[in-house]
Coordinates of all heavy atoms in Angstrom, one line a residue:
M234 N -22.6 42.9 -70.8 CA -21.1 43.1 -70.8 C -20.5 41.8 -71.2 O -20.7 40.8 -70.7 CB -20.7 43.4 -69.3 CG -19.2 43.5 -69.1 SD -18.4 44.9 -69.9 CE -18.9 46.2 -68.8
K235 N -19.6 42.0 -72.2 CA -18.8 40.8 -72.7 C -17.4 41.0 -72.2 O -16.9 42.1 -72.1 CB -18.8 40.8 -74.2 CG -20.1 40.6 -74.9 CD -20.6 39.1 -74.7 CE -21.8 38.9 -75.5 NZ -22.2 37.5 -75.5
T236 N -16.8 39.9 -71.9 CA -15.4 40.0 -71.3 C -14.5 39.1 -72.2 O -14.8 37.9 -72.4 CB -15.4 39.5 -69.9 OG1 -16.2 40.3 -69.1 CG2 -14.0 39.6 -69.3
I237 N -13.4 39.6 -72.5 CA -12.3 38.9 -73.2 C -11.1 38.9 -72.3 O -10.7 39.9 -71.8 CB -11.9 39.6 -74.5 CG1 -13.1 39.6 -75.5 CG2 -10.7 38.8 -75.2 CD1 -12.8 40.3 -76.8
T238 N -10.6 37.7 -72.0 CA -9.4 37.5 -71.1 C -8.2 37.2 -72.0 O -8.3 36.5 -72.9 CB -9.6 36.4 -70.1 OG1 -9.9 35.2 -70.7 CG2 -10.8 36.8 -69.2
V239 N -7.1 37.9 -71.6 CA -5.9 37.7 -72.3 C -4.8 37.3 -71.3 O -4.5 37.9 -70.3 CB -5.4 39.0 -73.0 CG1 -4.1 38.9 -73.8 CG2 -6.5 39.6 -73.8
C240 N -4.1 36.2 -71.6 CA -3.0 35.7 -70.8 C -1.8 36.6 -71.0 O -1.4 36.8 -72.2 CB -2.6 34.3 -71.0 SG -1.2 33.8 -70.1
V241 N -1.3 37.3 -70.0 CA -0.1 38.1 -70.1 C 1.0 37.6 -69.3 O 1.9 38.3 -68.9 CB -0.4 39.6 -69.8 CG1 -1.3 40.2 -70.9 CG2 -1.0 39.8 -68.5
N242 N 0.9 36.3 -68.9 CA 2.0 35.7 -68.1 C 3.3 35.7 -68.9 O 3.4 35.4 -70.0 CB 1.6 34.3 -67.8 CG 2.6 33.7 -66.7 OD1 3.0 34.4 -65.8 ND2 2.9 32.4 -66.9
R243 N 4.4 36.1 -68.1 CA 5.7 36.1 -68.7 C 6.6 35.3 -67.8 O 6.6 35.5 -66.6 CB 6.3 37.5 -68.8 CG 7.7 37.6 -69.4 CD 8.2 39.0 -69.5 NE 7.5 39.8 -70.4 CZ 7.6 39.8 -71.8 NH1 8.6 39.0 -72.3 NH2 6.9 40.6 -72.5
R244 N 7.3 34.4 -68.3 CA 8.3 33.6 -67.6 C 9.7 34.0 -67.9 O 10.0 34.1 -69.1 CB 8.1 32.1 -67.9 CG 6.8 31.5 -67.3 CD 6.9 30.0 -67.2 NE 5.7 29.5 -66.6 CZ 4.6 29.2 -67.3 NH1 4.6 29.4 -68.6 NH2 3.5 28.8 -66.7
L245 N 10.5 34.1 -66.9 CA 11.9 34.5 -67.2 C 12.8 33.3 -67.3 O 13.9 33.3 -67.6 CB 12.4 35.4 -66.1 CG 11.6 36.7 -66.0 CD1 12.1 37.6 -64.8 CD2 11.6 37.5 -67.3
S246 N 12.2 32.1 -67.0 CA 12.9 30.9 -67.0 C 13.3 30.3 -68.4 O 14.0 29.4 -68.5 CB 12.1 29.8 -66.2 OG 10.9 29.5 -67.0
G247 N 12.7 30.9 -69.4 CA 12.9 30.3 -70.7 C 11.7 29.4 -71.2 O 11.6 29.1 -72.3
R248 N 10.9 29.0 -70.2 CA 9.7 28.2 -70.6 C 8.7 29.1 -71.4 O 8.7 30.3 -71.2 CB 9.0 27.7 -69.4 CG 9.7 26.5 -68.8 CD 8.9 25.9 -67.6 NE 7.5 25.6 -68.0 CZ 6.5 25.6 -67.1 NH1 6.7 25.9 -65.9 NH2 5.3 25.3 -67.5
A249 N 7.9 28.4 -72.2 CA 7.0 29.2 -73.0 C 6.0 30.0 -72.2 O 5.6 29.6 -71.1 CB 6.2 28.2 -73.8
S250 N 5.7 31.2 -72.6 CA 4.7 32.0 -72.0 C 4.1 32.9 -73.0 O 4.7 33.3 -74.0 CB 5.3 32.9 -70.9 OG 6.3 33.8 -71.3
C251 N 2.9 33.3 -72.7 CA 2.1 34.1 -73.7 C 2.8 35.5 -73.9 O 2.8 36.0 -75.1 CB 0.7 34.3 -73.3 SG -0.2 32.7 -73.4
A252 N 3.2 36.1 -72.9 CA 3.8 37.5 -73.0 C 5.1 37.4 -73.9 O 5.3 38.3 -74.7 CB 4.2 38.1 -71.6
A253 N 5.8 36.4 -73.7 CA 7.0 36.2 -74.6 C 6.7 36.1 -76.0 O 7.5 36.3 -76.9 CB 7.9 35.0 -74.1
R254 N 5.4 35.7 -76.3 CA 5.0 35.5 -77.7 C 4.1 36.7 -78.1 O 3.4 36.6 -79.1 CB 4.2 34.2 -77.8 CG 5.1 33.0 -77.6 CD 4.3 31.7 -77.6 NE 5.2 30.6 -77.5 CZ 4.7 29.3 -77.5 NH1 3.5 29.1 -77.5 NH2 5.6 28.3 -77.4
G255 N 4.1 37.8 -77.4 CA 3.4 39.0 -77.9 C 2.1 39.3 -77.3 O 1.4 40.1 -77.9
S256 N 1.7 38.6 -76.3 CA 0.3 38.8 -75.8 C 0.0 40.2 -75.2 O -1.1 40.7 -75.2 CB -0.1 37.7 -74.8 OG 0.6 37.9 -73.6
E257 N 1.1 40.8 -74.7 CA 0.8 42.2 -74.2 C 0.4 43.2 -75.3 O -0.4 44.1 -75.1 CB 2.1 42.7 -73.4 CG 2.3 41.9 -72.1 CD 3.7 42.1 -71.5 OE1 4.7 42.1 -72.2 OE2 3.7 42.3 -70.3
T258 N 1.0 43.0 -76.5 CA 0.6 43.8 -77.6 C -0.9 43.5 -78.0 O -1.7 44.5 -78.3 CB 1.5 43.5 -78.8 OG1 2.8 43.9 -78.5 CG2 1.0 44.3 -80.0
L259 N -1.3 42.3 -77.9 CA -2.7 41.9 -78.2 C -3.6 42.5 -77.1 O -4.7 43.1 -77.5 CB -2.8 40.4 -78.2 CG -2.0 39.6 -79.2 CD1 -2.1 38.1 -79.0 CD2 -2.4 40.0 -80.6
A260 N -3.2 42.4 -75.9 CA -4.0 43.0 -74.8 C -4.2 44.5 -75.0 O -5.3 45.1 -74.8 CB -3.4 42.7 -73.4
Q261 N -3.1 45.2 -75.3 CA -3.1 46.6 -75.5 C -4.1 47.0 -76.7 O -4.9 47.9 -76.6 CB -1.7 47.2 -75.7 CG -1.7 48.7 -75.8 CD -2.0 49.3 -74.4 OE1 -1.4 49.1 -73.4 NE2 -3.1 50.1 -74.4
A262 N -4.0 46.2 -77.7 CA -4.8 46.5 -78.9 C -6.3 46.3 -78.5 O -7.2 47.2 -78.9 CB -4.5 45.6 -80.0
L263 N -6.6 45.3 -77.8 CA -8.0 45.1 -77.4 C -8.5 46.1 -76.4 O -9.6 46.6 -76.4 CB -8.2 43.7 -76.7 CG -8.1 42.5 -77.7 CD1 -7.9 41.2 -76.9 CD2 -9.3 42.5 -78.6
E264 N -7.6 46.6 -75.5 CA -7.9 47.6 -74.5 C -8.2 48.9 -75.2 O -9.1 49.7 -74.9 CB -6.8 47.8 -73.5 CG -6.8 46.6 -72.5 CD -5.4 46.5 -71.8 OE1 -4.5 47.2 -72.1 OE2 -5.3 45.6 -70.9
N265 N -7.5 49.2 -76.3 CA -7.7 50.4 -77.1 C -9.1 50.4 -77.7 O -9.8 51.4 -77.8 CB -6.6 50.6 -78.1 CG -5.3 51.0 -77.5 OD1 -5.3 51.5 -76.3 ND2 -4.2 50.8 -78.2
I266 N -9.4 49.2 -78.3 CA -10.8 49.1 -78.9 C -11.9 49.2 -77.8 O -12.9 49.8 -78.1 CB -10.8 47.7 -79.6 CG1 -9.9 47.7 -80.8 CG2 -12.3 47.4 -80.0 CD1 -9.6 46.4 -81.4
A267 N -11.6 48.6 -76.7 CA -12.6 48.6 -75.6 C -12.9 50.0 -75.1 O -14.0 50.3 -74.6 CB -12.2 47.7 -74.4
L268 N -12.0 50.9 -75.3 CA -12.2 52.3 -74.9 C -13.5 52.9 -75.5 O -14.2 53.7 -74.9 CB -11.0 53.2 -75.2 CG -9.8 53.0 -74.4 CD1 -8.6 53.8 -74.9 CD2 -10.0 53.3 -72.9
S269 N -13.8 52.4 -76.7 CA -15.0 53.0 -77.4 C -16.1 51.9 -77.5 O -17.1 52.1 -78.2 CB -14.6 53.4 -78.9 OG -14.1 52.2 -79.6
Q270 N -16.0 50.9 -76.7 CA -17.0 49.8 -76.6 C -17.4 49.6 -75.2 O -16.8 48.8 -74.5 CB -16.5 48.5 -77.2 CG -16.0 48.6 -78.6 CD -17.1 48.7 -79.6 OE1 -18.2 48.4 -79.3 NE2 -16.8 49.1 -80.8
P271 N -18.4 50.4 -74.7 CA -18.7 50.3 -73.3 C -19.2 49.0 -72.8 O -19.2 48.7 -71.6 CB -19.9 51.4 -73.2 CG -20.3 51.6 -74.5 CD -19.2 51.3 -75.5
N272 N -19.6 48.1 -73.7 CA -20.1 46.8 -73.2 C -19.0 45.7 -73.4 O -19.3 44.5 -73.3 CB -21.3 46.3 -74.0 CG -22.5 47.2 -73.7 OD1 -22.7 47.5 -72.5 ND2 -23.3 47.5 -74.7
L273 N -17.8 46.1 -73.6 CA -16.6 45.2 -73.7 C -15.6 45.5 -72.6 O -15.2 46.6 -72.4 CB -16.0 45.4 -75.1 CG -14.8 44.5 -75.4 CD1 -15.2 43.0 -75.4 CD2 -14.2 44.9 -76.8
R274 N -15.3 44.4 -71.9 CA -14.2 44.5 -70.9 C -13.1 43.6 -71.3 O -13.3 42.4 -71.7 CB -14.8 44.1 -69.6 CG -13.8 44.1 -68.4 CD -14.5 43.8 -67.1 NE -15.2 42.6 -67.1 CZ -15.8 42.1 -66.0 NH1 -15.8 42.7 -64.9 NH2 -16.5 41.0 -66.1
I275 N -11.9 44.1 -71.1 CA -10.7 43.2 -71.4 C -10.0 43.0 -70.0 O -9.8 43.9 -69.2 CB -9.7 44.0 -72.3 CG1 -10.4 44.5 -73.6 CG2 -8.5 43.1 -72.6 CD1 -11.1 43.4 -74.4
M276 N -9.7 41.8 -69.7 CA -9.0 41.4 -68.5 C -7.7 40.7 -68.8 O -7.7 39.8 -69.6 CB -9.9 40.5 -67.6 CG -11.1 41.1 -67.1 SD -12.1 40.0 -66.1 CE -10.9 39.7 -64.8
R277 N -6.6 41.2 -68.2 CA -5.3 40.6 -68.3 C -5.2 39.5 -67.2 O -5.5 39.9 -66.0 CB -4.2 41.6 -68.2 CG -4.2 42.6 -69.3 CD -3.0 43.6 -69.2 NE -3.0 44.5 -70.2 CZ -1.9 44.9 -70.9 NH1 -0.7 44.4 -70.5 NH2 -1.9 45.8 -71.9
L278 N -4.9 38.3 -67.6 CA -4.9 37.2 -66.6 C -3.5 36.6 -66.6 O -2.8 36.6 -67.6 CB -5.9 36.2 -66.9 CG -7.4 36.6 -66.8 CD1 -8.2 35.4 -67.1 CD2 -7.7 37.1 -65.4
P279 N -3.2 35.9 -65.5 CA -2.0 35.1 -65.5 C -2.2 33.8 -66.3 O -3.3 33.7 -66.9 CB -1.7 34.8 -64.0 CG -3.1 34.9 -63.4 CD -3.8 35.9 -64.2
C280 N -1.4 32.9 -66.2 CA -1.4 31.7 -67.0 C -2.8 31.0 -67.0 O -3.5 30.8 -66.0 CB -0.4 30.7 -66.4 SG -0.2 29.2 -67.4
M281 N -3.1 30.6 -68.3 CA -4.4 29.9 -68.5 C -4.2 28.4 -68.7 O -5.1 27.7 -69.0 CB -5.1 30.5 -69.7 CG -5.5 31.9 -69.6 SD -6.2 32.5 -71.2 CE -6.9 34.1 -70.8
G282 N -3.0 28.0 -68.5 CA -2.7 26.5 -68.6 C -2.5 25.9 -70.0 O -2.5 24.7 -70.1
A283 N -2.3 26.8 -71.0 CA -2.1 26.3 -72.3 C -0.9 27.0 -72.9 O -0.9 27.4 -74.1 CB -3.3 26.5 -73.2
C284 N 0.2 27.1 -72.1 CA 1.4 27.9 -72.4 C 2.0 27.6 -73.8 O 2.4 28.5 -74.5 CB 2.4 27.8 -71.3 SG 1.7 27.7 -69.7
E285 N 2.0 26.3 -74.1 CA 2.7 25.9 -75.4 C 1.9 26.3 -76.6 O 2.4 26.3 -77.7 CB 2.9 24.4 -75.4 CG 3.8 23.9 -74.2 CD 5.2 24.3 -74.3 OE1 5.7 24.7 -75.4 OE2 5.9 24.4 -73.2
E286 N 0.7 26.8 -76.4 CA -0.2 27.1 -77.5 C -0.4 28.6 -77.6 O -1.2 29.1 -78.4 CB -1.5 26.4 -77.4 CG -1.4 24.9 -77.3 CD -2.8 24.3 -77.0 OE1 -3.6 24.2 -78.0 OE2 -3.0 23.9 -75.9
G287 N 0.3 29.4 -76.8 CA 0.0 30.8 -76.7 C 0.5 31.6 -77.9 O 1.1 31.0 -78.8
P288 N 0.1 32.9 -78.0 CA -0.7 33.6 -77.0 C -2.1 33.1 -77.0 O -2.7 32.8 -78.0 CB -0.6 35.0 -77.6 CG 0.5 35.1 -78.5 CD 0.6 33.7 -79.1
N289 N -2.6 33.1 -75.8 CA -4.0 32.6 -75.5 C -5.0 33.7 -75.1 O -4.6 34.5 -74.3 CB -3.9 31.5 -74.4 CG -3.2 30.3 -74.9 OD1 -3.5 29.7 -75.9 ND2 -2.1 29.9 -74.1
I290 N -6.1 33.6 -75.7 CA -7.2 34.6 -75.4 C -8.5 33.8 -75.3 O -8.8 32.9 -76.1 CB -7.4 35.6 -76.5 CG1 -6.1 36.6 -76.5 CG2 -8.7 36.4 -76.4 CD1 -6.2 37.7 -77.6
K291 N -9.3 34.1 -74.2 CA -10.5 33.4 -74.0 C -11.6 34.4 -73.9 O -11.5 35.4 -73.1 CB -10.4 32.6 -72.7 CG -11.7 32.0 -72.2 CD -11.8 30.5 -72.7 CE -13.0 29.8 -72.0 NZ -14.3 30.3 -72.5
V292 N -12.7 34.1 -74.6 CA -13.9 34.9 -74.5 C -14.7 34.2 -73.3 O -15.0 33.0 -73.4 CB -14.8 34.9 -75.8 CG1 -16.1 35.6 -75.5 CG2 -14.0 35.5 -76.9
V293 N -15.0 35.0 -72.3 CA -15.8 34.4 -71.2 C -17.1 33.9 -71.7 O -17.9 34.7 -72.3 CB -15.9 35.5 -70.0 CG1 -16.8 34.9 -68.9 CG2 -14.6 35.9 -69.5
G294 N -17.4 32.6 -71.4 CA -18.6 32.0 -71.9 C -18.5 31.7 -73.4 O -19.5 31.3 -74.0
G295 N -17.3 31.7 -74.0 CA -17.2 31.5 -75.4 C -15.9 30.7 -75.7 O -15.5 29.9 -74.9
D296 N -15.4 31.0 -76.9 CA -14.3 30.2 -77.4 C -12.9 30.6 -76.7 O -12.7 31.7 -76.2 CB -14.1 30.5 -78.9 CG -15.3 29.8 -79.7 OD1 -15.9 28.9 -79.1 OD2 -15.5 30.3 -80.8
F297 N -12.0 29.6 -76.8 CA -10.7 29.7 -76.3 C -9.7 29.7 -77.6 O -9.7 28.8 -78.3 CB -10.3 28.5 -75.4 CG -9.1 28.7 -74.6 CD1 -8.3 29.8 -74.6 CD2 -8.8 27.6 -73.7 CE1 -7.2 29.9 -73.8 CE2 -7.6 27.7 -72.9 CZ -6.9 28.9 -72.9
Y298 N -9.1 30.8 -77.8 CA -8.2 31.0 -79.0 C -6.8 30.8 -78.6 O -6.3 31.3 -77.6 CB -8.4 32.4 -79.5 CG -9.8 32.7 -80.1 CD1 -10.8 33.1 -79.2 CD2 -10.2 32.4 -81.4 CE1 -12.1 33.4 -79.6 CE2 -11.4 32.7 -81.8 CZ -12.4 33.2 -81.0 OH -13.7 33.4 -81.4
H299 N -6.1 30.1 -79.5 CA -4.6 29.8 -79.2 C -3.8 30.4 -80.4 O -4.3 30.5 -81.5 CB -4.4 28.3 -79.2 CG -5.3 27.6 -78.1 ND1 -5.1 27.8 -76.8 CD2 -6.3 26.8 -78.3 CE1 -6.0 27.1 -76.2 NE2 -6.8 26.5 -77.1
G300 N -2.6 30.7 -80.1 CA -1.7 31.2 -81.2 C -2.3 32.4 -81.8 O -2.2 32.7 -83.0
V301 N -2.8 33.3 -81.0 CA -3.5 34.5 -81.5 C -2.5 35.5 -82.0 O -1.4 35.8 -81.4 CB -4.3 35.1 -80.4 CG1 -5.0 36.4 -80.9 CG2 -5.4 34.2 -79.9
T302 N -2.8 36.1 -83.1 CA -2.1 37.2 -83.7 C -3.0 38.4 -83.9 O -4.2 38.3 -83.7 CB -1.5 36.9 -85.1 OG1 -2.7 36.6 -86.0 CG2 -0.7 35.6 -85.1
L303 N -2.4 39.6 -84.2 CA -3.3 40.8 -84.4 C -4.3 40.5 -85.5 O -5.4 41.0 -85.4 CB -2.4 42.0 -84.7 CG -1.6 42.6 -83.6 CD1 -0.6 43.6 -84.2 CD2 -2.5 43.2 -82.5
A304 N -4.0 39.7 -86.4 CA -4.9 39.5 -87.6 C -6.1 38.7 -87.1 O -7.2 38.7 -87.8 CB -4.2 38.7 -88.7
V305 N -6.0 38.0 -86.0 CA -7.2 37.2 -85.5 C -8.1 38.0 -84.6 O -9.3 37.6 -84.4 CB -6.6 36.0 -84.7 CG1 -7.7 35.1 -84.1 CG2 -5.8 35.1 -85.6
L306 N -7.7 39.2 -84.1 CA -8.5 39.9 -83.2 C -9.9 40.3 -83.8 O -10.9 40.2 -83.1 CB -7.8 41.2 -82.7 CG -6.5 41.0 -81.9 CD1 -6.0 42.3 -81.4 CD2 -6.8 40.0 -80.7
P307 N -10.0 40.7 -85.1 CA -11.3 41.0 -85.6 C -12.3 39.8 -85.5 O -13.5 40.0 -85.2 CB -11.1 41.3 -87.1 CG -9.7 41.9 -87.0 CD -8.9 41.0 -86.0
M308 N -11.8 38.6 -85.6 CA -12.7 37.4 -85.5 C -13.1 37.3 -84.0 O -14.3 37.0 -83.8 CB -11.9 36.1 -85.9 CG -12.7 34.9 -85.9 SD -11.9 33.5 -86.6 CE -10.6 33.2 -85.3
I309 N -12.2 37.5 -83.1 CA -12.6 37.4 -81.7 C -13.6 38.5 -81.3 O -14.6 38.3 -80.6 CB -11.3 37.5 -80.8 CG1 -10.4 36.3 -81.1 CG2 -11.7 37.6 -79.3 CD1 -9.0 36.4 -80.4
L310 N -13.4 39.7 -81.8 CA -14.3 40.8 -81.6 C -15.7 40.5 -82.2 O -16.7 40.9 -81.6 CB -13.7 42.1 -82.1 CG -12.5 42.6 -81.3 CD1 -11.8 43.7 -82.0 CD2 -13.0 43.1 -79.9
Q311 N -15.7 39.9 -83.3 CA -16.9 39.5 -84.0 C -17.7 38.6 -83.1 O -18.9 38.7 -83.0 CB -16.7 38.9 -85.3 CG -17.9 38.7 -86.2 CD -17.6 38.4 -87.6 OE1 -16.5 37.7 -87.9 NE2 -18.4 38.7 -88.5
E312 N -17.0 37.6 -82.4 CA -17.7 36.7 -81.5 C -18.4 37.4 -80.4 O -19.5 37.0 -80.0 CB -16.7 35.7 -80.9 CG -17.4 34.7 -80.0 CD -16.4 33.7 -79.3 OE1 -15.3 33.5 -79.8 OE2 -16.9 33.2 -78.2
V313 N -17.8 38.5 -79.9 CA -18.5 39.2 -78.8 C -19.4 40.3 -79.3 O -20.0 41.1 -78.5 CB -17.5 39.8 -77.8 CG1 -16.7 38.7 -77.2 CG2 -16.6 40.8 -78.4
G314 N -19.5 40.4 -80.6 CA -20.5 41.4 -81.2 C -20.0 42.8 -81.3 O -20.8 43.7 -81.4
D315 N -18.7 43.0 -81.1 CA -18.1 44.3 -81.2 C -17.2 44.5 -82.4 O -16.4 45.4 -82.4 CB -17.4 44.7 -79.9 CG -18.4 44.9 -78.8 OD1 -19.3 45.8 -79.0 OD2 -18.3 44.3 -77.8
G316 N -17.2 43.5 -83.3 CA -16.2 43.6 -84.4 C -16.8 44.4 -85.6 O -17.9 44.9 -85.6
Ligands
FES278 S1 1.6 31.5 -70.1 FE1 -0.2 31.9 -71.2 S2 -1.3 30.1 -70.9 FE2 0.4 29.8 -69.7

């Protein structure tokens, strides 16, 4: 089982947050892919501590991706062997 974590923290204060930069769309896209990948789990997490670099996605036991866009998701999926 591979796990990809996605920060979906949203701040209403105006401070940077991953959700404000589109991470919920990224999480939803990964969750849709995971529906057909039984060995892939997507976890939505609160702040990962790198807010200014978001959206942030971390492969558990693997790389930490910053400034993620939909175009980057295939590379992340390739890392976990489901791309
Ligand atoms: S809000 Fe995503 S890392 Fe802090």
Side-chain angles (χ1 to χ4, degrees):
M234 173 71 73
K235 298 285 189 173
T236 302
I237 297 174
T238 59
V239 183
C240 174
V241 292
N242 188 40
R243 179 181 296 277
R244 291 200 176 86
L245 301 178
S246 64
R248 281 184 56 207
S250 65
C251 291
R254 295 178 175 174
S256 68
E257 289 168 316
T258 298
L259 300 171
Q261 186 65 61
L263 288 170
E264 287 161 355
N265 288 342
I266 291 165
L268 289 175
S269 60
Q270 303 287 343
N272 291 324
L273 178 62
R274 176 174 56 175
I275 309 301
M276 291 181 63
R277 295 181 179 223
L278 294 183
C280 186
M281 295 175 169
C284 319
E285 300 294 335
E286 301 174 77
N289 294 304
I290 291 180
K291 172 93 171 70
V292 175
V293 174
D296 290 339
F297 194 1
Y298 296 87
H299 307 290
V301 178
T302 63
L303 286 171
V305 176
L306 295 186
M308 183 173 69
I309 296 172
L310 289 164
Q311 191 169 28
E312 179 183 340
V313 298
D315 287 304

